[in-house]
Amino acid sequence: MKPKALLLILFTTLTTGAVAKDYTVISPNGQLVITIHADQQWLKWEVKHGATEVLSPSEIGLNGAFQKMNGKVTKNTAVISNRQYRVEFRADNDAAAYRIHVLDKNAVTIQNETAEFNFADDYNAFIPYVNDNRGGERYCFSFESYYDEQPLSKMFADSLAINPLAVRLPQGKLAVIADMGAIDYPGMFLVKNGTHELKAAFAPYPTAEEIGGFSRLNLVPTARANYIAKDVKGALPWRIVLVTEQDKQLLAANLPQRYGPQCQLTDTSWIRPGKVAWDWWNATMLTGVPFRAGMNTDTYRYYIDFAAKNHLEYIIIDEGWSTDESLRSELNPDIDLLSLLPYAEKKGVGIILWSSWRNCIHHTEDDFKYYASLGVKGFKVDFFDRDDQVVMRSAWQIADCAARNHLLLDFHGYRPTGIQVAYPNIVNFEGVKGLENSKWEPRVGDGPLHDQPRYDVSIPYLRQLVGPLDYTPGAMTNATRAEFFGNNDHPMSQGTRAHQVAMYILFDAPLQMLADAPTKYEREQPTTDFISQIPTVFDEVIGIDGQLGEYAVIAKRKGMTWYVAAMTNWTARDITIDLSMLSEGSHQAEVFADGVNADRDANDYTKTTQTVKQGDTLKVHLAPGGGFSMIIR
């Protein structure tokens, strides 16, 4: 869904006593209406979609109330301003949004920002709560959350939630709250603010920090200021409420391209997306090889050979090649990078290296320049685990340095807010409960504690709205709910093989991992051959069908080839896939689907070919935790 020109109507209402001014912004299709109330002491907005009240009057403020605001109409915007601030409002067909601009010539300190999201009733919501804090610090978190599904009134009053957060409105509509464009400014948390009201919360500026957190890989704040940002100029992030009539609309709603910052690079031709053979999830557990597998040169030569044979662009050498304190000294003597890099280059495979954020920021300029000169293609930067102003500024600086050295980046412990639009060399983000969680997932009663397949068909609607996700799919050992158990060195996935394969189409990831061991993929070569054909970036995306938390069906086009995928939660279901997007004539389709016994053995699948044409409707059965994929040429 692309934003269109805005239809703007401005009017003024005089009230008894003080003057109150109301301004209305209407979307191009006339369905979404923003009403802005500018009193002498405060600024509020409310949002309607057709006859549905999305937001009741909700306050907007910075460093206290906005005072003496006046409105005017400029091209495609409604602007409310005074001498200090300007607030820009946008009404797209599917979204209401605003952002605040600081007009002061001198940089200012922001004590607090008020952003309310007040709903008319006690609607059900998908809430990703903050949990597993690093070092016990409230705002230090990996941004990985399952969704608690509960009424707004039942939200935990003492808990932070991250965004996007979804609220189910009447008539089956959804309202999704998100922020976009946080650059030199903290990200937006959400907290309960009444019976069915939410408000923004922001990490205060850190004034002291210490090494700590998970395996002492973090920098954990030990003191924070009484303000959230300093030295602020210009535009603050967008505050967005996305409104859809059908859940499937979210599958193609690209918020970063619509609300993200300007691209900072004049040349992006060197940025090469692709698939990656990854070591950490499979514990470098190669079998049937004549050497001891592990973090050593022979193992990574094998990964490189596997990548080359299966047309994968990269391998990653994850944690353990360097120390936690330096990227240049006391490197792992068992890994000979100086021989691996030219070997990989000769095979047409790039090498990406892992680093913690804490280690990466010591000597970023020198380290990036050095490794780029050796032929390293990028860095996976892990354990940011914060989004206060210091870290958001740091992420921008790392991205800029990497771009100048033609290095790709994969940010972990970081929730995207559009930085990838400014620096498209940031090809992936984690901030998701990905496949790694299966390694330690406990069993409770007759199955795993967490419902991973339900989560898998929630994130395409929510987490994926704000940027690509490094879920790291590709498990070759697949389990039904009854059979699943966590196993660190021999991990498996919840759901079927076809469910895993469908992720390569459904999940956005320009740098897409193959998480299992090369020797497993070689034993499962038909599956590997199918995955290896799937690109990691696409030219067009269509949300075909689905419901948040239940199932998702999507089609993506690359050139003249269409890639169609479907996934379900633990509920088996029969779906119909509409192929009206195809061009005229007959097309050959390669299909990867659940086998007839996939409900009993999740590894069971079928791989077939068939002829399809424009306008066909396919009847597809999805097993519990199942999936379906189709490559149409």
Side-chain angles (χ1 to χ4, degrees):
M1 296 176 286
K2 297 181 179 179
K4 299 178 181 179
L6 309 180
L7 174 63
L8 301 161
I9 298 178
L10 178 66
F11 65 88
T12 301
T13 303
L14 297 180
T15 61
T16 304
V19 176
K21 300 176 182 178
D22 288 354
Y23 308 91
T24 296
V25 188
I26 302 176
S27 65
N29 65 5
Q31 282 291 98
L32 191 142
V33 179
I34 302 172
T35 303
I36 305 151
H37 307 288
D39 201 337
Q40 291 296 295
Q41 299 298 320
W42 42 252
L43 183 67
K44 295 184 179 182
W45 72 326
E46 59 181 296
V47 180
K48 289 187 177 179
H49 186 272
T52 305
E53 183 177 2
V54 179
L55 291 184
S56 54
S58 303
E59 188 170 349
I60 299 168
L62 202 65
N63 288 345
F66 280 137
Q67 297 181 350
K68 299 181 180 179
M69 304 289 285
N70 292 293
K72 62 179 180 179
V73 175
T74 59
K75 186 178 180 181
N76 293 334
T77 59
V79 175
I80 314 298
S81 63
N82 60 20
R83 291 184 178 182
Q84 294 175 291
Y85 306 111
R86 180 174 74 245
V87 187
E88 173 188 0
F89 291 86
R90 246 174 86 167
D92 293 339
N93 287 340
D94 63 342
Y98 74 85
R99 63 176 173 179
I100 300 168
H101 297 253
V102 176
L103 303 181
D104 200 308
K105 294 180 180 179
N106 300 313
V108 301
T109 296
I110 307 298
Q111 268 74 39
N112 198 16
E113 178 187 343
T114 300
E116 293 183 343
F117 304 92
N118 299 331
F119 291 92
D121 209 340
D122 190 17
Y123 302 130
N124 288 322
F126 278 66
I127 305 167
Y129 286 110
V130 169
N131 57 76
D132 189 24
N133 298 82
R134 304 306 191 194
E137 207 276 337
R138 179 170 173 78
Y139 299 96
C140 197
F141 170 60
S142 66
F143 302 95
E144 301 176 23
S145 300
Y146 292 109
Y147 296 101
D148 281 47
E149 300 172 39
Q150 57 189 172
L152 289 168
S153 63
K154 301 298 184 184
M155 279 187 70
F156 306 127
D158 61 348
S159 297
L160 297 168
I162 57 176
N163 75 76
L165 181 155
V167 177
R168 180 68 71 183
L169 301 173
Q171 292 86 48
K173 297 179 182 179
L174 273 175
V176 181
I177 302 169
D179 66 338
M180 187 57 55
I183 299 168
D184 189 13
Y185 198 83
M188 183 177 73
F189 294 97
L190 294 165
V191 294
K192 187 177 182 180
N193 189 39
T195 305
H196 37 76
E197 296 84 22
L198 303 173
K199 69 176 180 180
F202 303 91
Y205 189 91
T207 55
E209 53 194 15
E210 65 182 11
I211 295 173
F214 181 82
S215 294
R216 293 178 56 80
L217 291 171
N218 295 113
L219 280 176
V220 178
T222 57
R224 292 186 181 270
N226 62 353
Y227 53 86
I228 64 173
K230 64 179 183 178
D231 302 325
V232 176
K233 291 182 178 180
L236 274 58
W238 286 99
R239 311 300 175 210
I240 304 165
V241 180
L242 193 66
V243 185
T244 61
E245 296 181 89
Q246 296 179 303
D247 292 11
K248 69 179 183 179
Q249 293 172 262
L250 294 174
L251 296 174
N254 193 331
L255 293 185
Q257 295 300 324
R258 296 161 58 178
Y259 297 98
Q262 293 289 321
C263 182
Q264 301 297 299
L265 308 184
T266 56
D267 176 21
T268 60
S269 61
W270 58 272
I271 299 172
R272 184 190 182 204
K275 292 184 285 294
V276 187
W278 183 42
D279 56 354
W280 183 87
W281 191 78
N282 57 77
T284 58
M285 192 66 71
L286 302 177
T287 56
V289 296
F291 55 85
R292 183 70 174 175
M295 295 205 73
N296 57 54
T297 302
D298 286 339
T299 296
Y300 288 110
R301 280 180 178 267
Y302 198 100
Y303 276 77
I304 291 166
D305 291 343
F306 165 75
K309 285 187 292 187
N310 291 280
H311 313 291
L312 312 182
E313 288 81 1
Y314 300 100
I315 72 161
I316 280 183
I317 302 178
D318 214 283
E319 182 183 9
W321 70 274
S322 69
T323 71
D324 293 340
E325 305 302 328
S326 174
L327 296 178
R328 299 279 291 278
S329 63
E330 301 182 48
L331 303 183
N332 187 336
D334 295 330
I335 300 174
D336 185 359
L337 272 178
L338 294 182
S339 70
L340 285 172
L341 285 162
Y343 183 78
E345 187 74 23
K346 185 177 179 180
K347 295 274 187 173
V349 175
I351 293 179
I352 295 171
L353 300 176
W354 179 94
S355 172
S356 69
W357 168 68
R358 178 172 72 79
N359 203 352
C360 177
I361 60 177
H362 289 329
H363 306 286
T364 311
E365 292 283 346
D366 290 343
D367 288 345
F368 280 11
K369 183 177 180 180
Y370 171 73
Y371 281 109
S373 73
L374 295 182
V376 169
K377 303 303 181 184
F379 279 87
K380 172 182 171 181
V381 184
D382 207 346
F383 293 98
F384 281 85
D385 292 354
R386 287 160 48 192
D387 70 349
D388 51 50
Q389 187 186 24
V390 168
V391 170
M392 301 303 265
R393 182 184 297 152
S394 172
W396 188 274
Q397 293 165 344
I398 290 169
D400 183 72
C401 182
R404 285 186 274 108
N405 288 282
H406 285 194
L407 293 170
L408 301 180
L409 291 171
D410 178 7
F411 282 176
H412 276 219
Y414 188 97
R415 184 183 60 86
T417 66
I419 189 174
Q420 69 272 27
V421 181
Y423 288 98
N425 57 312
I426 308 176
V427 284
N428 255 25
F429 302 86
E430 195 183 31
V432 67
K433 283 285 189 184
L435 193 65
E436 68 176 5
N437 291 272
S438 67
K439 289 166 72 75
W440 49 77
E441 175 70 15
R443 285 185 67 85
V444 176
D446 62 352
L449 174 62
H450 296 103
D451 187 341
Q452 194 71 30
R454 185 169 183 83
Y455 180 75
D456 295 343
V457 292
S458 299
I459 53 178
Y461 298 93
L462 297 179
R463 163 61 184 83
Q464 195 163 274
L465 278 174
V466 294
L469 40 87
D470 200 2
Y471 184 99
T472 67
M476 292 295 102
T477 302
N478 316 108
T480 64
R481 186 177 182 277
E483 294 172 332
F484 177 87
F485 63 93
N487 188 318
N488 187 75
D489 289 345
H490 299 278
M492 64 187 72
S493 71
Q494 294 186 42
T496 70
R497 173 72 58 80
H499 186 92
Q500 286 289 301
V501 171
M503 292 177 179
Y504 287 91
I505 299 171
L506 257 164
F507 292 167
D508 292 338
L511 192 69
Q512 183 64 280
M513 309 290 167
L514 275 72
D516 221 324
T519 49
K520 281 193 176 182
Y521 287 117
E522 289 167 341
R523 289 196 296 271
E524 300 286 348
Q525 197 62 48
T527 301
T528 307
D529 290 343
F530 191 91
I531 291 171
S532 69
Q533 301 176 66
I534 301 170
T536 64
V537 293
F538 299 87
D539 301 321
E540 184 180 357
V541 179
I542 298 173
I544 293 179
D545 194 11
Q547 183 178 342
L548 172 60
E550 296 294 326
Y551 69 105
V553 187
I554 203 166
K556 296 182 178 181
R557 181 181 58 81
K558 179 70 172 181
M560 300 298 293
T561 303
W562 281 95
Y563 302 82
V564 179
M567 293 195 307
T568 184
N569 56 18
W570 282 125
T571 301
R573 66 183 78 238
D574 295 301
I575 61 172
T576 300
I577 299 178
D578 181 1
L579 298 181
S580 59
M581 74 285 186
L582 298 180
S583 59
E584 293 182 357
S586 295
H587 301 267
Q588 288 300 114
E590 189 174 353
V591 178
F592 197 104
D594 290 321
V596 67
N597 295 304
D599 61 326
R600 299 167 61 194
D601 180 356
N603 297 287
D604 187 33
Y605 70 89
T606 63
K607 189 178 177 185
T608 59
T609 58
Q610 65 184 88
T611 301
V612 296
K613 64 182 184 298
Q614 184 186 65
D616 281 353
T617 54
L618 301 181
K619 304 294 184 180
V620 174
H621 177 72
L622 301 175
F628 172 88
S629 300
M630 195 177 203
I631 301 174
I632 307 172
R633 295 182 172 88

